[in-house]
Amino acid sequence: MKKLFVKTEQQRFWLDKLEANSSPIKAEAAKVDEQSRFPFEAHRLLQQIGYPQLTLPKQYGGEGLSVYDMVLIQETLASYDENASLSLGWTLGVVGEIYDT
């Protein structure tokens, strides 16, 4: 079903990148929920693959994705770890909104 919403190669690239890294993110998600703690390991992994730069414009070292792109990708991350997705989503959305407008 998600394939209906994928419109660009860049979206597909990031969805595939998340899928390739989904196992450790999913594994930590259960522990994070059980222990009521911040998803540090998921954040480290996402930082290593460049995820926090999704909505930052390319001229500033980011990926230059739109807010639509980010929401599509965030939905996938949330299916792996809601805490990691929520904690990154606000920042990605604000940065994306600033540069979109």
Side-chain angles (χ1 to χ4, degrees), residues 69-85:
D69 298 331
M70 180 272 300
V71 170
L72 178 73
I73 297 163
Q74 277 288 104
E75 185 273 333
T76 299
L77 177 57
S79 73
Y80 303 155
D81 184 340
E82 307 88 7
N83 297 304
S85 180

Side-chain angles (χ1 to χ4, degrees), residues 18-54:
L18 274 180
E19 178 62 31
N21 290 280
S22 64
S23 293
I25 293 172
K26 289 176 182 178
E28 187 197 21
K31 294 176 190 172
V32 165
D33 281 341
E34 289 171 7
Q35 299 170 1
S36 298
R37 63 178 177 83
F38 188 81
F40 289 108
E41 291 304 317
H43 272 258
R44 282 188 198 102
L45 175 60
L46 292 166
Q47 186 174 9
Q48 288 173 353
I49 65 171
Y51 195 87
Q53 291 84 19
L54 286 181

